Amino acid sequence: MVHAAQYYPSLICLLSHGLRFHPAFIQMRKCVEKYVGVPKLCQCRLDMGPTLGKTFNWLCDDVMGGGNVTLFGSHLIDLITYLTGQKASRIHAVTKTLIPQTRGISGTRRITSTDFAVVQMEMDSGMFVSMTLSNQMARGHFSQELLLYGSKGFLRADGGTIKGFTYTRQEKEYQRTNSTTTQGNEFQYQKTNLEELKEIILYEDSEDADFLLIDRSIRSSCSNDEVHNISALFPPIYMDGG
């Protein structure tokens, strides 16, 4: 599609990886140099409910583009590249369809789209990535966490809230309180000081990131109780600009 769009100069076409356009991750990228330094490790975890509807459609078929790796994992991979500027050089992944049939999708129909995946990547500048995606929670649940560690500290993205922590701040506090302690008591003092040091909130999302978006035309004609029984689409954080 992107290649075909080149025949029309006035047409702008790009793959829609919306996380990089979310204001939380735009802010997170600006903080990488101060709080992370040189990225060493990135850990991602996404837990959510099923995204399938009551009847069989393309979301149930991995060949047609269904599955959490395509729908969500691709966005996270793009986000990691956006935050660090690094691209994957080696990838190892395990994908599973843990629920091949449902009450509405049974008989000759089988679900082949991924509902659980573990992805490990080595990036071209040496950073390592570990990613876990699961659709085993109750319908409507959404929880996403991304941790980016580096030489200076780390950044944590919990949904659309960004927090930061630097090791320099930790070391200064440790040296100040432990300058006169004996070697045997250092570990206890260090543990106490670490509990007192808190991550700094750099950006806080005001939207409800746990609520899954529903097709607007259907949503407008349903009551609040009926909305949660409809097939869910992308969470708000995956839509452009939040």
Side-chain angles (χ1 to χ4, degrees):
M1 289 188 294
V2 175
H3 180 71
Q6 295 176 356
Y7 290 96
Y8 303 90
S10 61
L11 180 64
I12 299 176
C13 184
L14 72 159
L15 296 175
S16 179
H17 289 125
L19 286 183
R20 63 164 59 205
F21 300 108
H22 193 284
F25 296 113
I26 293 175
Q27 178 64 29
M28 186 175 184
R29 186 187 188 190
K30 295 177 181 178
C31 297
V32 169
E33 176 60 31
K34 179 179 179 180
Y35 287 90
V36 177
V38 179
K40 301 292 185 181
L41 173 66
C42 182
Q43 293 179 296
C44 308
R45 184 174 183 87
L46 190 152
D47 290 294
M48 62 184 303
T51 56
L52 306 180
K54 295 181 180 179
T55 58
F56 188 90
N57 58 23
W58 69 272
L59 290 171
C60 305
D61 195 312
D62 60 337
V63 177
M64 292 194 288
N68 56 18
V69 176
T70 305
L71 295 176
F72 301 100
S74 61
H75 290 260
L76 290 172
I77 293 171
D78 175 75
L79 177 62
I80 293 168
T81 297
Y82 171 73
L83 293 174
T84 65
Q86 300 186 33
K87 295 182 179 180
S89 59
R90 294 197 300 171
I91 300 177
H92 176 267
V94 177
T95 61
K96 291 291 183 180
T97 304
L98 300 180
I99 304 178
Q101 291 185 323
T102 64
R103 181 177 298 179
I105 306 171
S106 58
T108 58
R109 293 286 194 184
R110 294 188 67 85
I111 300 168
T112 59
S113 57
T114 300
D115 57 17
F116 177 78
V118 177
V119 182
Q120 295 174 320
M121 299 188 295
E122 183 177 356
M123 311 303 277
D124 53 10
S125 294
M127 184 180 73
F128 291 93
V129 177
S130 176
M131 185 185 306
T132 303
L133 312 171
S134 175
N135 288 86
Q136 308 308 310
M137 301 298 288
R139 182 177 293 274
H141 175 86
F142 178 82
S143 174
Q144 176 179 291
E145 184 181 51
L146 184 147
L147 280 159
L148 183 61
Y149 304 90
S151 56
K152 295 182 179 180
F154 64 85
L155 287 169
R156 180 199 304 270
D158 187 0
T161 300
I162 309 299
K163 298 179 181 180
F165 185 86
T166 59
Y167 300 137
T168 304
R169 179 165 156 255
Q170 168 185 295
E171 185 64 24
K172 286 181 179 178
E173 180 66 19
Y174 173 73
Q175 291 178 354
R176 183 182 67 82
T177 0
N178 293 278
S179 57
T180 59
T181 61
T182 61
Q183 184 176 1
N185 295 327
E186 282 186 0
F187 178 79
Q188 183 62 38
Y189 274 93
Q190 183 184 31
K191 182 178 180 181
T192 304
N193 295 331
L194 289 179
E195 292 173 351
E196 294 175 354
L197 291 171
K198 302 294 183 182
E199 300 170 41
I200 299 173
I201 297 178
L202 305 172
Y203 181 92
E204 194 163 14
D205 192 1
S206 59
E207 299 294 330
D208 184 4
D210 291 332
F211 187 73
L212 295 176
L213 288 183
I214 307 299
D215 186 278
R216 289 179 176 85
S217 61
I218 301 177
R219 184 178 178 181
S220 61
S221 61
C222 297
S223 65
N224 291 333
D225 293 334
E226 293 174 326
V227 163
H228 293 282
N229 295 323
I230 305 172
S231 176
L233 299 178
F234 286 99
I237 195 173
Y238 276 80
M239 308 306 289
D240 292 1

